Amino acid sequence: MRFSRPCLRLPPLCAALALVAGCGGTSSIKPNEVLDESTGMTIGTLDKPIELVQGAAPMGGPERRISFAYLGPVEWDNMGAITYGLWIHVAPGNDWQFEALQEPGAVRLVLADGTAPLAAFQPPALAHAPYRPVASWGETGYFVVDLRMLRRMAASGTIALDVKTTSDAVVRFTAAPDAHDILTRYLHARGYQ
């Protein structure tokens, strides 16, 4: 059987394509890292925030309304002085009004091993926010976390947020099961796992 010249080139081409495909499949997801020109800080974030979906009917509320929440870790590196925060954005459905996220007790982080209240803080003033708000009518807040809490979140089988409404109901938002994998990859890419 006689092969034409193009067929003789096929095996090396297949080997090269397999090598490229194999390398692409094993790469880890890198977080975004941006240098803020106005402050000189390096900011490390996820490529996009983690979406959390409203669960069953809210505790203390009569009806189910669809709202969404988003969260994302932020690392601020100011010439080696590293601080962490948790960016949270809540996009209420057309009937909910949430308490101001910065109010004490307005937001609680719910993990498989327990609940942690979150304390709001004012992040560094940057040229651009670490994440873009998902909904123009939503509310954004920054909360204090440390590396230990980020590791705890990454190790948790479940990640949820309880957010208080203006009528004192509590709405629970739950992340998809892969959220802890996303946070684990984030910490690994930042050099912390």
Side-chain angles (χ1 to χ4, degrees), residues 4-18:
S4 66
R5 198 176 257 318
C7 288
L8 292 175
R9 291 184 183 152
L10 189 58
L13 178 61
C14 288
L17 288 174

Side-chain angles (χ1 to χ4, degrees), residues 89-153:
H89 180 76
V90 177
N94 55 358
D95 292 330
W96 283 120
Q97 289 186 337
F98 291 99
E99 210 172 88
L101 293 183
Q102 292 78 14
E103 292 296 318
V107 181
R108 287 183 312 175
L109 182 64
V110 182
L111 302 174
D113 65 354
T115 302
L118 294 173
F121 79 102
Q122 188 64 36
L126 304 172
H128 301 284
Y131 297 97
R132 287 182 32 206
V134 178
S136 60
W137 66 90
E139 185 179 353
T140 300
Y142 292 86
F143 298 87
V144 177
V145 293
D146 56 15
L147 186 54
R148 187 178 140 270
M149 178 59 78
L150 289 174
R151 285 181 172 142
R152 186 176 155 199
M153 290 172 67

